[in-house]
Amino acid sequence: MTRFRPCIDLHAGQVKQIVGGTLDSKTSTLQTNFVSPHPPAYFSKLYRDSDLTGAHVIMLGPGNTEAAKESLAAWPGGLQVGGGISDKNAKEWIDAGADKVIITSYLFPNGTFSQPRLDAVLAALGGDTSKLVIDLSCRRRGDSSWYVAMDKWQTITDMEVSAESIRQLEPYCSEFLIHAADNEGLQRGIDERLVEKLAEWCTIPVTYAGGGRNLEDLEMVKKLSGGKVDLTIGSALDCFGGSGVTLAECVEWNKKQLS
């Protein structure tokens, strides 16, 4: 069953909505859609009160540790956390209240996938795959291929997002999170082909993010995926300064899927 899943994107300790493809180390090139006047815990409580489970807190770069811990403390066991997760700190984040940890860049030293690093993260979690989400956020190559992107989506790795790579990774995690970095923050619509492929390839829960604008996009993801893919909407939400859809409308949409 497709459902809406929210996010808390942290940059320099603040809740922001950013154009994904501009997120490099040069602040001058960063395109920001929204900077919240509210602290991170405000959104945690908002999601908790709306029973929006499965939300992800993403630390985009340094300076976000305290903000992320504040988010988790406001809803212990209710949020997933990612950004800078490794075997050294994965358990620490679970202990801090994360429901699950999300990993990407650590799995790709120098842009090359490392099975030993994945094994190490899982070992740090006591072998509990239910606590691990693998983020295969990607950038498009041509019409129908996507490659995992790391380091704030600026570095393209050697891993193609495909039936083969999904099959390889599924035994090690409980979910996938996939940002279409070329669509992220642009509010120009979802990557429909990627949503279709994720539904075809994945046998565990998967959340797509990137370009979601409104309830019509939720309906589109539901239709394209046969209800197998969830959708995160960020910049278009009213709570992030957007005008495409309200959080209340997304909550109501989720409730209708259950009825």
Side-chain angles (χ1 to χ4, degrees):
M1 178 195 74
T2 293
R3 63 189 173 117
F4 159 75
R5 293 210 207 188
C7 61
I8 301 173
D9 291 346
L10 300 172
H11 183 261
Q14 293 178 288
V15 177
K16 298 183 182 180
Q17 284 293 308
I18 286 167
V19 178
T22 71
L23 190 61
D24 61 14
S25 57
K26 306 179 194 67
T27 305
S28 60
T29 62
L30 183 70
Q31 293 180 33
T32 303
N33 288 331
F34 176 77
V35 180
S36 176
H38 300 294
Y42 168 86
F43 293 95
S44 302
K45 292 170 184 172
L46 195 62
Y47 301 160
R48 180 196 66 199
D49 294 345
S50 300
D51 195 29
L52 289 168
T53 55
H56 51 271
V57 179
I58 302 294
M59 297 177 282
L60 298 168
N64 294 304
T65 301
E66 289 310 309
K69 287 184 176 178
E70 178 190 322
S71 302
L72 299 178
W75 191 8
L79 300 163
Q80 304 172 3
V81 67
I85 305 296
S86 69
D87 61 330
K88 301 293 190 293
N89 61 14
K91 178 68 163 55
E92 175 189 323
W93 282 106
I94 296 295
D95 292 342
D99 176 40
K100 306 183 184 194
V101 291
I102 305 166
I103 51 167
T104 312
S105 297
Y106 180 70
L107 297 182
F108 295 91
N110 302 311
T112 303
F113 174 70
S114 168
Q115 182 66 45
R117 286 198 172 194
L118 177 55
D119 292 338
V121 172
L122 197 53
L125 296 171
D128 187 353
T129 57
S130 74
K131 292 298 179 186
L132 188 59
V133 178
I134 294 180
D135 183 336
L136 296 180
S137 294
C138 57
R139 303 195 82 146
R140 187 186 268 266
R141 285 278 178 86
D143 287 339
S144 57
S145 64
W146 301 265
Y147 280 79
V148 176
M150 54 177 265
D151 291 338
K152 306 194 225 31
W153 306 321
Q154 298 304 308
T155 302
I156 308 298
T157 72
D158 68 340
M159 179 173 279
E160 183 176 0
V161 181
S162 65
E164 182 181 7
S165 60
I166 293 290
R167 192 163 53 243
Q168 175 186 353
L169 296 173
E170 278 193 341
Y172 298 91
C173 62
S174 58
E175 298 182 31
F176 291 114
L177 172 63
I178 300 182
H179 293 84
D182 298 309
N183 297 59
E184 182 74 15
L186 294 175
Q187 298 182 59
R188 293 180 187 162
I190 60 171
D191 186 330
E192 296 183 8
R193 183 73 174 145
L194 179 56
V195 170
E196 286 178 329
K197 285 297 181 183
L198 293 174
E200 179 184 323
W201 297 333
C202 299
T203 64
I204 61 175
V206 54
T207 300
Y208 167 93
R213 300 164 295 187
N214 46 41
L215 295 182
E216 286 74 18
D217 282 334
L218 271 166
E219 290 289 349
M220 178 62 73
V221 169
K222 178 182 174 182
K223 177 184 173 186
L224 291 172
S225 71
K228 292 176 65 177
V229 175
D230 292 342
L231 175 66
T232 291
I233 299 174
S235 295
L237 276 176
D238 63 334
C239 60
F240 294 130
S243 58
V245 66
T246 67
L247 184 70
E249 287 171 335
C250 291
V251 171
E252 192 58 35
W253 192 89
N254 276 2
K255 288 178 180 175
K256 283 181 181 175
Q257 309 314 303
L258 292 168
S259 60

